[in-house]
Amino acid sequence: MKLYEYEAKQEFAKHKIPVPNSYIASTPEQAKQAASRLHAPFVVKAQVLVGGRGKAGGIQTAVTTQQVEDVAGKLLSMQIRGLPVRQVLVEEKVSIQRELYLAVTVDRSNREYVVLSSAAGGVNVETTAEEMPTAITKTPINAKTGLRQHHAVDIARQLGYSGNQLLDLANVILRLYNTVIDNDAELAEVNPLAQTVEGKFVALDARLTLDDNALFRHPERARKEPQTLSPQEETALKHNLAYVKLDGEIGVIGNGAGLVMATLDLLKLSGGKPANFLDLGGGASVEQINAAVKLVLSDSQVKAVLVNVLGGITRCDEVAKGILQARSASGSGKPLIVRLIGTNQQEGQRILQNAGIQVFDSMEEAANQAVKAAKTGES
Ligand code: GDP
Ligand code: MN
């Protein structure tokens, strides 16, 4: 279970990790009121359970309380990667000298926690991790002894600190580890951990993901409102489809989690980026296929859709009909690329080809074609 930034920061504050002074608000008026109890200037932050808010325009600065009200109004009517913004966090703006990255997470293969740290934190840390993996240090934590002061001191030293700052930073690291343990968390991430111009360390962003299997030990965490779902996630839930939104532009639909995963891998190998994972499950009905294709086409990031179905109980001709129904119902001209084999294969392929849809026997060819279609807009 992911906590909102403001919830994670409350948890940090409980563990004495410095965070900016802040209040949560659900309306522009509340945001203005919140600001009047804080010192200017301000940062107003959209509360959604996805990263990359800064780049998506979800982090705004303001100088006057009136500006806070105005930007809060804008943020509260926004969607970030499909999620509506229902609350904003109004914070005192911190003057940043340097942005560090700090996380404690689970290393499943080694069955232990690990501390991730980098002196190159900030909104581009994912790119840093890909292009310069050495810029991120991994420190394994022995599961029996836990994180000790001297480990934390070593990490702080590696980040380039000495003296009092080294001790301050080591304390933040220890407290982050304690936050993880006390919450049964599988991830606590601070990005950025700011070194302020005054030389202090402050957690400017906070992510805390709890282990769902341990939630029974934290009954106070039960959400009063259901987690906010995007329109696509709501549709998926209604039609019993396993749907996960991803970052790319090629929609992916398949039957069986293994087949869908393999399709995602293949797309990546062919130079494409999947926009989602969608598993129809076993014995997918025509109604489900119809709903799935419409759902994926409705994602504005999607430029082309790749359907990969192995007809078994569901016959290929039925699958083909479902795809065509969805295409005409959605009125979308986005390219659809289909790989369809199994029961009644020939009939299914014929129906699609007659409707001008490219059908392949081979997954590789279909994936290649989907990548091309996403680039050119033609199938
Ligand atoms: P994210 O984009 O979802 O990771 O949102 P963050 O909360 O990490 O904010 C993104 C970026 O906004 C940070 O990396 C900072 O550069 C900037 N930012 C956030 N809060 C403050 C602040 O209090 N002061 C300053 N100067 N910049 C901030
Ligand atoms: Mn961040």
Side-chain angles (χ1 to χ4, degrees), residues 43 45 52-54 59 93-94 96 99 123 191-192 204-205:
V43 181
K45 310 178 79 179
R53 293 169 303 167
I59 311 285
K93 185 174 174 186
V94 168
I96 306 174
E99 295 192 336
V123 293
N191 185 36
L204 287 198
D205 193 5

Side-chain angles (χ1 to χ4, degrees), residues 5 45 51-54 59 101 122-123 125-126 189-193 204-207:
E5 176 192 14
K45 310 178 79 179
R53 293 169 303 167
I59 311 285
Y101 175 91
V123 293
V125 76
E126 279 89 2
E189 186 185 67
V190 192
N191 185 36
L193 174 66
L204 287 198
D205 193 5
R207 274 206 217 185

Side-chain angles (χ1 to χ4, degrees), residues 227-295:
Q227 293 217 12
T228 46
L229 297 178
S230 70
Q232 280 87 10
E233 285 170 329
E234 256 166 39
T235 310
L237 199 64
K238 206 168 82 195
H239 294 277
N240 206 11
L241 305 165
Y243 173 82
V244 181
K245 174 86 184 100
L246 302 169
D247 263 345
E249 66 255 345
I250 303 174
V252 178
I253 299 170
N255 58 339
L259 185 67
V260 181
M261 294 294 263
T263 313
L264 298 185
D265 285 348
L266 213 64
L267 267 182
K268 286 221 156 186
L269 280 174
S270 320
K273 279 197 188 151
N276 66 273
F277 170 102
L278 194 159
D279 176 13
L280 299 158
S285 66
V286 177
E287 175 267 325
Q288 266 187 314
I289 290 159
N290 184 343
V293 174
K294 278 195 287 201
L295 182 165

